[in-house]
PDB file of all heavy atoms in Angstrom:
ATOM      1  N   ASN T  62      83.493 115.702 108.809  1.00  0.00           N
ATOM      2  CA  ASN T  62      82.081 115.424 109.059  1.00  0.00           C
ATOM      3  C   ASN T  62      81.171 116.243 108.149  1.00  0.00           C
ATOM      4  O   ASN T  62      80.098 115.789 107.757  1.00  0.00           O
ATOM      5  CB  ASN T  62      81.735 115.715 110.520  1.00  0.00           C
ATOM      6  CG  ASN T  62      80.263 115.532 110.804  1.00  0.00           C
ATOM      7  OD1 ASN T  62      79.752 114.420 110.783  1.00  0.00           O
ATOM      8  ND2 ASN T  62      79.565 116.636 111.046  1.00  0.00           N
ATOM      9  N   ALA T  63      81.628 117.436 107.790  1.00  0.00           N
ATOM     10  CA  ALA T  63      80.834 118.295 106.900  1.00  0.00           C
ATOM     11  C   ALA T  63      81.032 117.927 105.440  1.00  0.00           C
ATOM     12  O   ALA T  63      80.071 117.893 104.660  1.00  0.00           O
ATOM     13  CB  ALA T  63      81.205 119.759 107.121  1.00  0.00           C
ATOM     14  N   THR T  64      82.267 117.630 105.057  1.00  0.00           N
ATOM     15  CA  THR T  64      82.598 117.438 103.643  1.00  0.00           C
ATOM     16  C   THR T  64      82.578 115.981 103.196  1.00  0.00           C
ATOM     17  O   THR T  64      82.489 115.702 102.001  1.00  0.00           O
ATOM     18  CB  THR T  64      83.994 118.005 103.345  1.00  0.00           C
ATOM     19  OG1 THR T  64      84.974 117.277 104.119  1.00  0.00           O
ATOM     20  CG2 THR T  64      84.077 119.483 103.706  1.00  0.00           C
ATOM     21  N   GLY T  65      82.719 115.055 104.146  1.00  0.00           N
ATOM     22  CA  GLY T  65      82.747 113.643 103.799  1.00  0.00           C
ATOM     23  C   GLY T  65      84.096 113.151 103.319  1.00  0.00           C
ATOM     24  O   GLY T  65      84.191 112.064 102.753  1.00  0.00           O
ATOM     25  N   ARG T  66      85.165 113.925 103.563  1.00  0.00           N
ATOM     26  CA  ARG T  66      86.504 113.516 103.152  1.00  0.00           C
ATOM     27  C   ARG T  66      87.488 113.846 104.266  1.00  0.00           C
ATOM     28  O   ARG T  66      87.437 114.949 104.824  1.00  0.00           O
ATOM     29  CB  ARG T  66      86.909 114.235 101.856  1.00  0.00           C
ATOM     30  CG  ARG T  66      88.125 113.629 101.170  1.00  0.00           C
ATOM     31  CD  ARG T  66      88.391 114.299  99.829  1.00  0.00           C
ATOM     32  NE  ARG T  66      88.888 115.656  99.989  1.00  0.00           N
ATOM     33  CZ  ARG T  66      89.069 116.514  98.975  1.00  0.00           C
ATOM     34  NH1 ARG T  66      88.769 116.154  97.740  1.00  0.00           N
ATOM     35  NH2 ARG T  66      89.552 117.726  99.221  1.00  0.00           N
ATOM     36  N   PRO T  67      88.394 112.928 104.616  1.00  0.00           N
ATOM     37  CA  PRO T  67      89.296 113.160 105.747  1.00  0.00           C
ATOM     38  C   PRO T  67      90.106 114.455 105.627  1.00  0.00           C
ATOM     39  O   PRO T  67      90.615 114.773 104.557  1.00  0.00           O
ATOM     40  CB  PRO T  67      90.226 111.935 105.716  1.00  0.00           C
ATOM     41  CG  PRO T  67      89.414 110.865 105.071  1.00  0.00           C
ATOM     42  CD  PRO T  67      88.585 111.578 104.032  1.00  0.00           C
ATOM     43  N   PHE T  68      90.157 115.189 106.743  1.00  0.00           N
ATOM     44  CA  PHE T  68      90.987 116.390 106.865  1.00  0.00           C
ATOM     45  C   PHE T  68      90.642 117.440 105.803  1.00  0.00           C
ATOM     46  O   PHE T  68      91.512 118.215 105.394  1.00  0.00           O
ATOM     47  CB  PHE T  68      92.473 116.028 106.773  1.00  0.00           C
ATOM     48  CG  PHE T  68      92.978 115.258 107.961  1.00  0.00           C
ATOM     49  CD1 PHE T  68      92.937 113.869 107.974  1.00  0.00           C
ATOM     50  CD2 PHE T  68      93.489 115.912 109.070  1.00  0.00           C
ATOM     51  CE1 PHE T  68      93.394 113.148 109.060  1.00  0.00           C
ATOM     52  CE2 PHE T  68      93.955 115.192 110.165  1.00  0.00           C
ATOM     53  CZ  PHE T  68      93.906 113.815 110.155  1.00  0.00           C
ATOM     54  N   THR T  69      89.406 117.503 105.379  1.00  0.00           N
ATOM     55  CA  THR T  69      89.001 118.449 104.338  1.00  0.00           C
ATOM     56  C   THR T  69      88.048 119.486 104.915  1.00  0.00           C
ATOM     57  O   THR T  69      87.018 119.130 105.479  1.00  0.00           O
ATOM     58  CB  THR T  69      88.324 117.704 103.171  1.00  0.00           C
ATOM     59  OG1 THR T  69      89.262 116.804 102.589  1.00  0.00           O
ATOM     60  CG2 THR T  69      87.835 118.683 102.117  1.00  0.00           C
ATOM     61  N   GLY T  70      88.432 120.761 104.772  1.00  0.00           N
ATOM     62  CA  GLY T  70      87.561 121.841 105.212  1.00  0.00           C
ATOM     63  C   GLY T  70      87.812 122.334 106.612  1.00  0.00           C
ATOM     64  O   GLY T  70      87.097 123.224 107.082  1.00  0.00           O
ATOM     65  N   ASP T  71      88.816 121.790 107.309  1.00  0.00           N
ATOM     66  CA  ASP T  71      89.090 122.265 108.660  1.00  0.00           C
ATOM     67  C   ASP T  71      90.564 122.591 108.838  1.00  0.00           C
ATOM     68  O   ASP T  71      91.389 122.347 107.958  1.00  0.00           O
ATOM     69  CB  ASP T  71      88.611 121.271 109.719  1.00  0.00           C
ATOM     70  CG  ASP T  71      89.321 119.927 109.627  1.00  0.00           C
ATOM     71  OD1 ASP T  71      90.250 119.789 108.816  1.00  0.00           O
ATOM     72  OD2 ASP T  71      88.933 119.006 110.364  1.00  0.00           O
ATOM     73  N   TYR T  72      90.897 123.139 109.994  1.00  0.00           N
ATOM     74  CA  TYR T  72      92.251 123.622 110.240  1.00  0.00           C
ATOM     75  C   TYR T  72      93.277 122.495 110.210  1.00  0.00           C
ATOM     76  O   TYR T  72      94.408 122.678 109.747  1.00  0.00           O
ATOM     77  CB  TYR T  72      92.300 124.331 111.598  1.00  0.00           C
ATOM     78  CG  TYR T  72      93.597 125.060 111.859  1.00  0.00           C
ATOM     79  CD1 TYR T  72      93.757 126.379 111.449  1.00  0.00           C
ATOM     80  CD2 TYR T  72      94.661 124.431 112.500  1.00  0.00           C
ATOM     81  CE1 TYR T  72      94.952 127.053 111.676  1.00  0.00           C
ATOM     82  CE2 TYR T  72      95.851 125.087 112.727  1.00  0.00           C
ATOM     83  CZ  TYR T  72      95.992 126.397 112.318  1.00  0.00           C
ATOM     84  OH  TYR T  72      97.175 127.053 112.539  1.00  0.00           O
ATOM     85  N   ALA T  73      92.902 121.321 110.715  1.00  0.00           N
ATOM     86  CA  ALA T  73      93.860 120.214 110.776  1.00  0.00           C
ATOM     87  C   ALA T  73      94.368 119.819 109.398  1.00  0.00           C
ATOM     88  O   ALA T  73      95.490 119.335 109.256  1.00  0.00           O
ATOM     89  CB  ALA T  73      93.230 119.011 111.469  1.00  0.00           C
ATOM     90  N   GLY T  74      93.543 120.028 108.372  1.00  0.00           N
ATOM     91  CA  GLY T  74      93.956 119.658 107.030  1.00  0.00           C
ATOM     92  C   GLY T  74      94.910 120.638 106.373  1.00  0.00           C
ATOM     93  O   GLY T  74      95.554 120.293 105.369  1.00  0.00           O
ATOM     94  N   VAL T  75      95.006 121.842 106.914  1.00  0.00           N
ATOM     95  CA  VAL T  75      95.842 122.863 106.277  1.00  0.00           C
ATOM     96  C   VAL T  75      97.298 122.406 106.208  1.00  0.00           C
ATOM     97  O   VAL T  75      97.910 122.331 105.135  1.00  0.00           O
ATOM     98  CB  VAL T  75      95.728 124.210 107.014  1.00  0.00           C
ATOM     99  CG1 VAL T  75      96.711 125.214 106.435  1.00  0.00           C
ATOM    100  CG2 VAL T  75      94.303 124.749 106.903  1.00  0.00           C
ATOM    101  N   LEU T  76      97.877 122.103 107.373  1.00  0.00           N
ATOM    102  CA  LEU T  76      99.273 121.680 107.406  1.00  0.00           C
ATOM    103  C   LEU T  76      99.453 120.333 106.709  1.00  0.00           C
ATOM    104  O   LEU T  76     100.444 120.124 105.992  1.00  0.00           O
ATOM    105  CB  LEU T  76      99.764 121.594 108.849  1.00  0.00           C
ATOM    106  CG  LEU T  76     101.210 121.113 109.056  1.00  0.00           C
ATOM    107  CD1 LEU T  76     102.194 121.995 108.311  1.00  0.00           C
ATOM    108  CD2 LEU T  76     101.551 121.055 110.549  1.00  0.00           C
ATOM    109  N   LEU T  77      98.494 119.430 106.885  1.00  0.00           N
ATOM    110  CA  LEU T  77      98.627 118.098 106.278  1.00  0.00           C
ATOM    111  C   LEU T  77      98.729 118.191 104.764  1.00  0.00           C
ATOM    112  O   LEU T  77      99.680 117.673 104.154  1.00  0.00           O
ATOM    113  CB  LEU T  77      97.434 117.222 106.665  1.00  0.00           C
ATOM    114  CG  LEU T  77      97.404 115.845 105.994  1.00  0.00           C
ATOM    115  CD1 LEU T  77      98.621 115.014 106.365  1.00  0.00           C
ATOM    116  CD2 LEU T  77      96.117 115.111 106.358  1.00  0.00           C
ATOM    117  N   TYR T  78      97.776 118.856 104.121  1.00  0.00           N
ATOM    118  CA  TYR T  78      97.769 118.868 102.657  1.00  0.00           C
ATOM    119  C   TYR T  78      98.839 119.783 102.076  1.00  0.00           C
ATOM    120  O   TYR T  78      99.369 119.524 100.994  1.00  0.00           O
ATOM    121  CB  TYR T  78      96.377 119.218 102.138  1.00  0.00           C
ATOM    122  CG  TYR T  78      95.421 118.063 102.317  1.00  0.00           C
ATOM    123  CD1 TYR T  78      94.344 118.142 103.189  1.00  0.00           C
ATOM    124  CD2 TYR T  78      95.604 116.867 101.626  1.00  0.00           C
ATOM    125  CE1 TYR T  78      93.482 117.074 103.358  1.00  0.00           C
ATOM    126  CE2 TYR T  78      94.744 115.793 101.789  1.00  0.00           C
ATOM    127  CZ  TYR T  78      93.688 115.900 102.658  1.00  0.00           C
ATOM    128  OH  TYR T  78      92.844 114.833 102.821  1.00  0.00           O
ATOM    129  N   GLU T  79      99.197 120.854 102.795  1.00  0.00           N
ATOM    130  CA  GLU T  79     100.325 121.680 102.345  1.00  0.00           C
ATOM    131  C   GLU T  79     101.606 120.844 102.302  1.00  0.00           C
ATOM    132  O   GLU T  79     102.393 120.933 101.350  1.00  0.00           O
ATOM    133  CB  GLU T  79     100.519 122.869 103.286  1.00  0.00           C
ATOM    134  CG  GLU T  79      99.502 123.987 103.103  1.00  0.00           C
ATOM    135  CD  GLU T  79      99.751 125.134 104.060  1.00  0.00           C
ATOM    136  OE1 GLU T  79     100.595 124.977 104.980  1.00  0.00           O
ATOM    137  OE2 GLU T  79      99.102 126.185 103.902  1.00  0.00           O
ATOM    138  N   THR T  80     101.807 120.024 103.325  1.00  0.00           N
ATOM    139  CA  THR T  80     103.013 119.210 103.401  1.00  0.00           C
ATOM    140  C   THR T  80     102.986 118.092 102.360  1.00  0.00           C
ATOM    141  O   THR T  80     104.004 117.808 101.707  1.00  0.00           O
ATOM    142  CB  THR T  80     103.180 118.625 104.814  1.00  0.00           C
ATOM    143  OG1 THR T  80     103.091 119.686 105.775  1.00  0.00           O
ATOM    144  CG2 THR T  80     104.531 117.937 104.964  1.00  0.00           C
ATOM    145  N   LEU T  81     101.840 117.448 102.195  1.00  0.00           N
ATOM    146  CA  LEU T  81     101.724 116.398 101.183  1.00  0.00           C
ATOM    147  C   LEU T  81     101.989 116.954  99.789  1.00  0.00           C
ATOM    148  O   LEU T  81     102.647 116.306  98.962  1.00  0.00           O
ATOM    149  CB  LEU T  81     100.339 115.756 101.245  1.00  0.00           C
ATOM    150  CG  LEU T  81     100.032 114.927 102.496  1.00  0.00           C
ATOM    151  CD1 LEU T  81      98.610 114.369 102.413  1.00  0.00           C
ATOM    152  CD2 LEU T  81     101.039 113.798 102.687  1.00  0.00           C
ATOM    153  N   HIS T  82     101.516 118.160  99.516  1.00  0.00           N
ATOM    154  CA  HIS T  82     101.753 118.784  98.214  1.00  0.00           C
ATOM    155  C   HIS T  82     103.235 119.100  98.034  1.00  0.00           C
ATOM    156  O   HIS T  82     103.812 118.850  96.964  1.00  0.00           O
ATOM    157  CB  HIS T  82     100.921 120.056  98.090  1.00  0.00           C
ATOM    158  CG  HIS T  82     101.117 120.781  96.798  1.00  0.00           C
ATOM    159  ND1 HIS T  82     101.797 121.984  96.718  1.00  0.00           N
ATOM    160  CD2 HIS T  82     100.761 120.463  95.536  1.00  0.00           C
ATOM    161  CE1 HIS T  82     101.827 122.373  95.461  1.00  0.00           C
ATOM    162  NE2 HIS T  82     101.210 121.483  94.727  1.00  0.00           N
ATOM    163  N   ALA T  83     103.854 119.640  99.074  1.00  0.00           N
ATOM    164  CA  ALA T  83     105.273 120.003  98.982  1.00  0.00           C
ATOM    165  C   ALA T  83     106.151 118.782  98.703  1.00  0.00           C
ATOM    166  O   ALA T  83     107.201 118.908  98.061  1.00  0.00           O
ATOM    167  CB  ALA T  83     105.712 120.683 100.274  1.00  0.00           C
ATOM    168  N   LEU T  84     105.717 117.615  99.153  1.00  0.00           N
ATOM    169  CA  LEU T  84     106.513 116.399  98.990  1.00  0.00           C
ATOM    170  C   LEU T  84     106.041 115.540  97.820  1.00  0.00           C
ATOM    171  O   LEU T  84     106.509 114.410  97.652  1.00  0.00           O
ATOM    172  CB  LEU T  84     106.484 115.584 100.290  1.00  0.00           C
ATOM    173  CG  LEU T  84     107.224 116.247 101.461  1.00  0.00           C
ATOM    174  CD1 LEU T  84     106.959 115.507 102.754  1.00  0.00           C
ATOM    175  CD2 LEU T  84     108.728 116.292 101.185  1.00  0.00           C
ATOM    176  N   GLY T  85     105.135 116.060  97.016  1.00  0.00           N
ATOM    177  CA  GLY T  85     104.722 115.363  95.817  1.00  0.00           C
ATOM    178  C   GLY T  85     103.663 114.293  95.996  1.00  0.00           C
ATOM    179  O   GLY T  85     103.395 113.525  95.066  1.00  0.00           O
ATOM    180  N   PHE T  86     103.047 114.245  97.173  1.00  0.00           N
ATOM    181  CA  PHE T  86     101.982 113.270  97.406  1.00  0.00           C
ATOM    182  C   PHE T  86     100.614 113.784  96.950  1.00  0.00           C
ATOM    183  O   PHE T  86      99.693 112.982  96.765  1.00  0.00           O
ATOM    184  CB  PHE T  86     101.894 112.913  98.890  1.00  0.00           C
ATOM    185  CG  PHE T  86     102.981 112.011  99.382  1.00  0.00           C
ATOM    186  CD1 PHE T  86     103.830 112.417 100.405  1.00  0.00           C
ATOM    187  CD2 PHE T  86     103.155 110.742  98.851  1.00  0.00           C
ATOM    188  CE1 PHE T  86     104.817 111.570 100.885  1.00  0.00           C
ATOM    189  CE2 PHE T  86     104.149 109.899  99.321  1.00  0.00           C
ATOM    190  CZ  PHE T  86     104.985 110.310 100.342  1.00  0.00           C
ATOM    191  N   ALA T  87     100.461 115.098  96.814  1.00  0.00           N
ATOM    192  CA  ALA T  87      99.180 115.698  96.465  1.00  0.00           C
ATOM    193  C   ALA T  87      99.349 116.653  95.291  1.00  0.00           C
ATOM    194  O   ALA T  87     100.392 117.289  95.145  1.00  0.00           O
ATOM    195  CB  ALA T  87      98.583 116.446  97.663  1.00  0.00           C
ATOM    196  N   ASN T  88      98.319 116.770  94.467  1.00  0.00           N
ATOM    197  CA  ASN T  88      98.400 117.642  93.289  1.00  0.00           C
ATOM    198  C   ASN T  88      98.108 119.093  93.611  1.00  0.00           C
ATOM    199  O   ASN T  88      98.290 119.971  92.767  1.00  0.00           O
ATOM    200  CB  ASN T  88      97.447 117.147  92.193  1.00  0.00           C
ATOM    201  CG  ASN T  88      95.985 117.308  92.578  1.00  0.00           C
ATOM    202  OD1 ASN T  88      95.632 117.241  93.763  1.00  0.00           O
ATOM    203  ND2 ASN T  88      95.124 117.499  91.594  1.00  0.00           N
ATOM    204  N   GLN T  89      97.640 119.376  94.826  1.00  0.00           N
ATOM    205  CA  GLN T  89      97.396 120.760  95.246  1.00  0.00           C
ATOM    206  C   GLN T  89      97.532 120.841  96.761  1.00  0.00           C
ATOM    207  O   GLN T  89      97.521 119.825  97.452  1.00  0.00           O
ATOM    208  CB  GLN T  89      96.009 121.232  94.802  1.00  0.00           C
ATOM    209  CG  GLN T  89      94.851 120.432  95.352  1.00  0.00           C
ATOM    210  CD  GLN T  89      93.529 120.780  94.680  1.00  0.00           C
ATOM    211  OE1 GLN T  89      93.434 120.858  93.455  1.00  0.00           O
ATOM    212  NE2 GLN T  89      92.487 120.988  95.473  1.00  0.00           N
ATOM    213  N   ALA T  90      97.666 122.077  97.250  1.00  0.00           N
ATOM    214  CA  ALA T  90      97.982 122.267  98.663  1.00  0.00           C
ATOM    215  C   ALA T  90      96.765 122.518  99.535  1.00  0.00           C
ATOM    216  O   ALA T  90      96.888 122.563 100.754  1.00  0.00           O
ATOM    217  CB  ALA T  90      98.958 123.444  98.817  1.00  0.00           C
ATOM    218  N   GLU T  91      95.587 122.668  98.929  1.00  0.00           N
ATOM    219  CA  GLU T  91      94.395 122.988  99.704  1.00  0.00           C
ATOM    220  C   GLU T  91      93.333 121.905  99.542  1.00  0.00           C
ATOM    221  O   GLU T  91      93.197 121.306  98.470  1.00  0.00           O
ATOM    222  CB  GLU T  91      93.811 124.335  99.273  1.00  0.00           C
ATOM    223  CG  GLU T  91      94.718 125.518  99.590  1.00  0.00           C
ATOM    224  CD  GLU T  91      94.059 126.840  99.241  1.00  0.00           C
ATOM    225  OE1 GLU T  91      93.010 126.816  98.559  1.00  0.00           O
ATOM    226  OE2 GLU T  91      94.586 127.880  99.651  1.00  0.00           O
ATOM    227  N   ALA T  92      92.587 121.686 100.625  1.00  0.00           N
ATOM    228  CA  ALA T  92      91.467 120.754 100.621  1.00  0.00           C
ATOM    229  C   ALA T  92      90.266 121.466 101.217  1.00  0.00           C
ATOM    230  O   ALA T  92      90.201 121.672 102.433  1.00  0.00           O
ATOM    231  CB  ALA T  92      91.803 119.502 101.422  1.00  0.00           C
ATOM    232  N   THR T  93      89.332 121.852 100.368  1.00  0.00           N
ATOM    233  CA  THR T  93      88.196 122.643 100.834  1.00  0.00           C
ATOM    234  C   THR T  93      86.870 121.895 100.780  1.00  0.00           C
ATOM    235  O   THR T  93      86.017 122.083 101.636  1.00  0.00           O
ATOM    236  CB  THR T  93      88.071 123.926 100.004  1.00  0.00           C
ATOM    237  OG1 THR T  93      87.985 123.577  98.608  1.00  0.00           O
ATOM    238  CG2 THR T  93      89.287 124.826 100.222  1.00  0.00           C
ATOM    239  N   HIS T  94      86.686 121.039  99.766  1.00  0.00           N
ATOM    240  CA  HIS T  94      85.458 120.254  99.648  1.00  0.00           C
ATOM    241  C   HIS T  94      85.728 119.042  98.766  1.00  0.00           C
ATOM    242  O   HIS T  94      86.787 118.934  98.132  1.00  0.00           O
ATOM    243  CB  HIS T  94      84.312 121.098  99.085  1.00  0.00           C
ATOM    244  CG  HIS T  94      84.615 121.734  97.772  1.00  0.00           C
ATOM    245  ND1 HIS T  94      84.394 121.113  96.564  1.00  0.00           N
ATOM    246  CD2 HIS T  94      85.143 122.957  97.470  1.00  0.00           C
ATOM    247  CE1 HIS T  94      84.759 121.912  95.583  1.00  0.00           C
ATOM    248  NE2 HIS T  94      85.219 123.027  96.093  1.00  0.00           N
ATOM    249  N   ARG T  95      84.798 118.125  98.694  1.00  0.00           N
ATOM    250  CA  ARG T  95      85.033 116.847  98.021  1.00  0.00           C
ATOM    251  C   ARG T  95      85.250 116.984  96.515  1.00  0.00           C
ATOM    252  O   ARG T  95      85.860 116.111  95.895  1.00  0.00           O
ATOM    253  CB  ARG T  95      83.859 115.894  98.277  1.00  0.00           C
ATOM    254  CG  ARG T  95      83.798 115.414  99.711  1.00  0.00           C
ATOM    255  CD  ARG T  95      82.702 114.397  99.913  1.00  0.00           C
ATOM    256  NE  ARG T  95      83.006 113.116  99.263  1.00  0.00           N
ATOM    257  CZ  ARG T  95      82.278 112.023  99.436  1.00  0.00           C
ATOM    258  NH1 ARG T  95      81.219 112.049 100.212  1.00  0.00           N
ATOM    259  NH2 ARG T  95      82.610 110.904  98.823  1.00  0.00           N
ATOM    260  N   ASP T  96      84.770 118.060  95.932  1.00  0.00           N
ATOM    261  CA  ASP T  96      84.885 118.247  94.490  1.00  0.00           C
ATOM    262  C   ASP T  96      85.885 119.337  94.123  1.00  0.00           C
ATOM    263  O   ASP T  96      85.736 120.015  93.105  1.00  0.00           O
ATOM    264  CB  ASP T  96      83.510 118.558  93.889  1.00  0.00           C
ATOM    265  CG  ASP T  96      82.514 117.441  94.128  1.00  0.00           C
ATOM    266  OD1 ASP T  96      82.904 116.266  93.994  1.00  0.00           O
ATOM    267  OD2 ASP T  96      81.348 117.736  94.468  1.00  0.00           O
ATOM    268  N   ASP T  97      86.914 119.510  94.947  1.00  0.00           N
ATOM    269  CA  ASP T  97      87.883 120.587  94.718  1.00  0.00           C
ATOM    270  C   ASP T  97      89.033 120.177  93.789  1.00  0.00           C
ATOM    271  O   ASP T  97      89.942 120.957  93.540  1.00  0.00           O
ATOM    272  CB  ASP T  97      88.444 121.102  96.040  1.00  0.00           C
ATOM    273  CG  ASP T  97      89.125 120.003  96.867  1.00  0.00           C
ATOM    274  OD1 ASP T  97      89.325 118.891  96.331  1.00  0.00           O
ATOM    275  OD2 ASP T  97      89.427 120.247  98.052  1.00  0.00           O
ATOM    276  N   GLY T  98      89.004 118.952  93.287  1.00  0.00           N
ATOM    277  CA  GLY T  98      90.044 118.497  92.366  1.00  0.00           C
ATOM    278  C   GLY T  98      91.263 117.882  93.017  1.00  0.00           C
ATOM    279  O   GLY T  98      92.201 117.472  92.325  1.00  0.00           O
ATOM    280  N   LEU T  99      91.273 117.794  94.325  1.00  0.00           N
ATOM    281  CA  LEU T  99      92.422 117.229  95.027  1.00  0.00           C
ATOM    282  C   LEU T  99      92.551 115.727  94.733  1.00  0.00           C
ATOM    283  O   LEU T  99      91.560 114.995  94.764  1.00  0.00           O
ATOM    284  CB  LEU T  99      92.267 117.426  96.532  1.00  0.00           C
ATOM    285  CG  LEU T  99      93.326 116.792  97.432  1.00  0.00           C
ATOM    286  CD1 LEU T  99      94.689 117.415  97.211  1.00  0.00           C
ATOM    287  CD2 LEU T  99      92.918 116.909  98.899  1.00  0.00           C
ATOM    288  N   SER T 100      93.767 115.297  94.451  1.00  0.00           N
ATOM    289  CA  SER T 100      94.045 113.868  94.318  1.00  0.00           C
ATOM    290  C   SER T 100      95.386 113.571  94.974  1.00  0.00           C
ATOM    291  O   SER T 100      96.250 114.445  95.085  1.00  0.00           O
ATOM    292  CB  SER T 100      94.061 113.439  92.845  1.00  0.00           C
ATOM    293  OG  SER T 100      95.127 114.067  92.149  1.00  0.00           O
ATOM    294  N   LEU T 101      95.543 112.333  95.424  1.00  0.00           N
ATOM    295  CA  LEU T 101      96.754 111.902  96.110  1.00  0.00           C
ATOM    296  C   LEU T 101      97.408 110.765  95.348  1.00  0.00           C
ATOM    297  O   LEU T 101      96.717 109.954  94.715  1.00  0.00           O
ATOM    298  CB  LEU T 101      96.430 111.434  97.534  1.00  0.00           C
ATOM    299  CG  LEU T 101      95.717 112.420  98.455  1.00  0.00           C
ATOM    300  CD1 LEU T 101      95.488 111.791  99.823  1.00  0.00           C
ATOM    301  CD2 LEU T 101      96.495 113.711  98.589  1.00  0.00           C
TER     302      LEU T 101
END
Side-chain angles (χ1 to χ4, degrees):
N62 176 69
T64 62
R66 194 175 71 187
F68 291 90
T69 298
D71 62 5
Y72 189 88
V75 174
L76 178 57
L77 175 61
Y78 286 114
E79 284 180 350
T80 308
L81 292 179
H82 179 251
L84 292 171
F86 285 121
N88 68 329
Q89 60 191 47
E91 294 184 348
T93 55
H94 56 88
R95 290 184 70 171
D96 300 318
D97 58 10
L99 175 65
S100 65
L101 303 180

